[in-house]
Amino acid sequence: MSKSDKDHNHSNQNQPKKNIKIAFFINLIFSISEFFFGFLFNSVSIMSDAVHDLGDSISIGFAWFFQGYS
């Protein structure tokens, strides 16, 4: 195995952590924007979906946190 192969394999090990980090922040930003627009347009359905998405964000955050222990 050449040196470049070893470096490439090492960078692939961090890819799942990067992916879950990106998913967490995208979901969190989307949830915050839904809260804002749900409040702005006085829409209970949008705000309830924001709560649902916030729960998803929390779950992804836990997965990201506990991924460091594996």
Side-chain angles (χ1 to χ4, degrees):
M1 185 180 284
S2 69
K3 184 178 183 330
S4 64
D5 289 340
K6 290 179 184 177
D7 292 338
H8 182 71
N9 287 339
H10 180 68
S11 66
N12 283 343
Q13 291 173 350
N14 291 331
Q15 191 62 39
K17 289 183 182 181
K18 289 179 185 177
N19 289 344
I20 203 163
K21 180 180 177 181
I22 291 168
F24 171 75
F25 284 113
I26 288 174
N27 204 347
L28 185 64
I29 290 168
F30 188 74
S31 180
I32 291 169
S33 66
E34 275 189 318
F35 272 120
F36 174 74
F37 286 110
F39 182 77
L40 183 68
F41 293 114
N42 199 22
S43 174
V44 175
S45 63
I46 294 175
M47 292 183 77
S48 67
D49 190 49
V51 171
H52 172 250
D53 288 339
L54 183 62
D56 292 344
S57 296
I58 291 169
S59 298
I60 293 170
F62 277 132
W64 180 26
F65 176 76
F66 288 120
Q67 190 175 22
Y69 289 109
S70 63

